[in-house]
Amino acid sequence: MKRALLSVWDKTRIVDLARGLKEIGFELMSTSGTAKILKEAGLPVLLLEEVTGFPEILSGRVKTIHPIIAAGLLARRGVSEDLTDLQRLNITPIDLVAVNLYPFGQVAFSGADEQTVLENIDIGGVTLLRAAAKNYPDVIVLSDLADYSWVLSRLRENDLSLSEKRRLAMKAFQQTAFYDSLISFYFQQTQKEVFPQLLTLSAVKVQEMRYGENPHQSASFYRWSWSQVPSVATASLINGKELSYNNIADLDAALNLVSEFSEPAACIIKHTNPCGCAIGKTAAEAFAKARDADPEARFGGIIGINRIVDEETAAEILVPGSFYECIIAPDYTPEALEKIRSRKGWGETIRIVTLGIGDKTLSSLASSRELVIRSVRGGLLVQTPDSEAEAEGTVVTERKPTDSEWKDLQFAWKVVKWVKSNAIVLARDGVTVGIGAGQMNRAYAVKIAVEQAGERAKGSVLASDGFFPMPDGPEIAAQAGVTAIIQPGGSKKDPDVVATCNRHGIAMIFTGKRHFRH
């Protein structure tokens, strides 16, 4: 008779699995908690302490760690010395293990006290999984509830292949590695160690993508298992076809930008850069201003809004001649959803994404201290987030900005943070009027922003994510009618830049901080 060891925290489907194994001819043994469930279902089961002759001790901290259990799992059926040891010590081999672990992540990141967290570090379960997976040619290891049904089916047909056993072993090792990474991350946080010598990461697959940035690339989307902030990774798609790789990148950019503002804000993103961003008294007003900031580039863009989308906002989204790929917002009223979905032509296909947080603000996202991780060939770049967005600094010109200019400078400084470097943003009355993104020359970025703004550049303010290495950028801005500039400062040519601004009556602020976004 084959022997199965069942010891699970999540007891979903365990009775069905045990019953199926019993019908096939397995002898069942288990730890006390799982055994209780099986006995209540009328299934015969051996307690581990009946097998080992040693009781569970330390309030359940020690249940499965015993040489009889370890040997039953690790004995190689094709090695005569191993079988001799089992026979000499009267140890029965274990042929199948089903284990899932204490919910450490759920407990640890819910704010529980440390003693509770420590009690949810699974020791025996991890040991069982690793031992069974190491000996996968002879031991079937089940660490995922989704595998119960098909494995039972294969066993009934005596048709579980070695490659399938190997895959089950791989999943078990993934489970234990994932689990240990959560524990490592917890202690890393408590020690306030931002950049440990050994970086462990744990993520859960959200979905497989149809393709990556381009159709010939494969891709998947994962979420950090420890993340506690609302994000694209925690959001739900409630309308339209599945999100693409590029959709998710753009939605993330949109959400990051609008989360900078406490007042109602909206943006339209193209290729992770805003083509329009605005604040207003309501979400509808903010979106209408962002929409009209660049009537051409907005087509096919991704909308981000930091308030619940109501019927009035939906009406602004649906103005004739408009088309958008996606919308992301904290939530939507039923009336707004119905209005958008009923739009003939694209209402049924537009991807509507909700954070599902109702009228809660996105302040937790804006203030998040989660590390920013970017892959490079052969490794990772890891940094703290750019959480500096409030415009603070020193007036370095003869003229100080007016109150209205200062308000627009603060707005533009928040927007430029989310524009690819070299980045220039022109703004007026709480709306972007011109954006120059991703240029190799800062003066070119100014030219693009000014050209896009046209007559709207007159009376606007300018934010630059980095310093001006030469006075040519401010000179272009001055000729277009820009009245105030905010920039980091720090160039050798700062005196010439300031002199140019003084000559044209432009107010300039040095922040001492830059917002490069590569």
Side-chain angles (χ1 to χ4, degrees), residues 160-312:
L160 188 66
S161 69
L162 185 62
S163 64
E164 288 172 328
K165 289 182 178 181
R166 186 185 296 112
R167 178 168 179 77
L168 292 171
M170 176 195 73
K171 291 182 72 171
F173 283 124
Q174 287 173 339
Q175 289 279 4
T176 59
F178 178 86
Y179 196 76
D180 282 340
S181 71
L182 288 175
I183 298 170
S184 170
F185 183 79
Y186 170 79
F187 280 99
Q188 180 185 322
Q189 279 193 319
T190 59
Q191 292 298 110
K192 295 182 170 55
E193 187 174 2
V194 179
F195 301 114
Q197 184 64 33
L198 299 175
L199 179 65
T200 57
L201 302 175
S202 57
V204 179
K205 185 189 288 185
V206 177
Q207 69 180 89
E208 290 189 7
M209 323 302 298
R210 286 182 296 149
Y211 53 82
E213 283 182 290
N214 300 290
H216 63 275
Q217 294 173 268
S218 301
S220 284
F221 180 33
Y222 291 80
R223 64 170 175 81
W224 296 124
S225 56
W226 33 258
S227 179
Q228 300 293 304
V229 299
S231 66
V232 178
T234 64
S236 300
L237 178 67
I238 57 176
N239 191 79
K241 60 185 179 181
E242 71 179 40
L243 297 169
S244 72
Y245 182 101
N246 294 332
N247 288 157
I248 290 172
D250 285 336
L251 286 166
D252 180 60
L255 193 58
N256 283 326
L257 176 48
V258 296
S259 70
E260 293 287 348
F261 301 97
S262 57
E263 57 268 75
C267 69
I268 299 173
I269 297 291
K270 293 290 288 288
H271 306 291
T272 70
N273 280 307
C275 58
C277 182
I279 54 176
K281 294 179 180 178
T282 64
E285 180 186 342
F287 176 76
K289 290 165 68 176
R291 177 196 65 206
D292 296 338
D294 191 335
E296 293 183 5
R298 76 186 187 202
F299 190 85
I302 276 69
I303 298 171
I305 300 174
N306 70 352
R307 292 290 192 276
I308 292 176
V309 174
D310 55 19
E311 195 170 7
E312 183 183 1

Side-chain angles (χ1 to χ4, degrees), residues 399-418:
R399 188 175 79 81
K400 295 182 179 180
T402 65
D403 289 344
S404 62
E405 286 174 334
W406 179 238
K407 186 176 180 180
D408 279 334
L409 287 168
Q410 290 177 313
F411 167 78
W413 188 242
K414 289 182 177 181
V415 176
V416 82
K417 170 182 172 180
W418 296 103

